[in-house]
Amino acid sequence: MLVGYEANNALRNGHEIGEFCRDLISRLASGRVNTYRALLFSKRVKGAYKGYYSGYTNVSTYVPTGSSKLMPSLWMRYSLNPWLKAEKVKVFHGLNEELPYGIGRDIKTVITCYGLDGHQRTSASDGLMWKRRMKYSFNAADVIVAVSEDVKQQLVDAAVPAGKIVVIASPDGNPFGLTDKMVEQYFQLYQRLAGEEMQ
């Protein structure tokens, strides 16, 4: 199982959302050394997380190089597709609710949504850019994972088709809590999207 990730939160965010992303990838990688490989794509890696996955033989990190370092956001949005095709990635997971533009239909896509409330409180310009990117991601994604039933309702209220939404939530109601059952649900989702048999 080869999964590509939009991993800006995992490699740059020191808050709960970043810990959630790092924990998910770490637990998948350590529990499935021979059946899972992760490719992490990020605009850059925060110093605290350099080498974070160095002990995992099945996790690789990619950041922009050369002239792409001058505009890393554009690299993330427009330049990943050749990498994904070359590596024969079957599933791409937008951990920050975003997908690369023009991602091929031969690659199945999933995004995790943590809620829409915070984005509605951003500045007008940032909010407009976020709405544009989210509209694309919500339309392009094969599956949208909501971290709670409340987030699912927010998505439905925002006219996201309910049939695209899957809830993977912690039983204690913590949107950033991650249990073994949730890790297994994510892996089974990847398998289903990739058309592989359950193991």
Side-chain angles (χ1 to χ4, degrees), residues 42-171:
S42 179
K43 290 187 283 189
R44 63 185 66 87
V45 179
K46 190 175 180 180
Y49 307 113
K50 286 184 178 177
Y52 188 88
Y53 292 104
S54 60
Y56 296 86
T57 58
N58 52 344
V59 179
S60 303
T61 300
Y62 297 92
V63 295
T65 58
S67 60
S68 296
K69 289 164 59 173
L70 299 174
M71 291 185 285
S73 293
L74 293 180
W75 179 81
M76 286 292 296
R77 289 188 196 124
Y78 298 103
S79 301
L80 296 192
N81 291 325
W83 296 66
L84 301 177
K85 290 180 181 178
E87 292 283 353
K88 298 182 179 173
V89 170
K90 289 186 176 182
V91 177
F92 187 88
H93 188 166
L95 286 171
N96 192 33
E97 306 168 340
E98 294 187 39
L99 296 172
Y101 286 109
I103 192 165
R105 294 309 300 168
D106 54 331
I107 299 173
K108 296 300 182 182
T109 53
V110 56
I111 59 175
T112 295
C113 185
Y114 310 93
L116 306 184
D117 293 340
H119 297 292
Q120 294 167 357
R121 294 192 293 268
T122 59
S123 68
S125 59
D126 285 347
L128 184 61
M129 291 179 65
W130 175 81
K131 285 180 182 178
R132 187 179 300 126
R133 293 196 302 268
M134 289 305 95
K135 182 176 181 181
Y136 171 77
S137 295
F138 290 156
N139 286 334
D142 292 296
V143 174
I144 301 167
V145 175
V147 298
S148 69
E149 290 291 344
D150 286 344
V151 171
K152 178 180 178 179
Q153 189 58 53
Q154 289 178 29
L155 290 167
V156 171
D157 291 344
V160 175
K164 276 191 172 189
I165 305 169
V166 172
V167 176
I168 298 181
S170 173

Side-chain angles (χ1 to χ4, degrees), residues 167-188:
V167 176
I168 298 181
S170 173
D172 66 3
N174 178 2
F176 302 112
L178 189 66
T179 66
D180 289 340
K181 180 179 178 181
M182 292 167 67
V183 173
E184 184 61 28
Q185 286 175 308
Y186 271 104
F187 188 69
Q188 290 180 1

Side-chain angles (χ1 to χ4, degrees), residues 16-38:
E16 287 179 311
I17 189 171
E19 188 57 38
F20 175 89
C21 297
R22 285 186 290 277
D23 196 19
L24 174 62
I25 295 166
S26 297
R27 290 166 74 168
L28 284 167
S30 61
R32 297 170 171 82
V33 175
N34 298 318
T35 58
Y36 168 86
R37 182 176 169 224

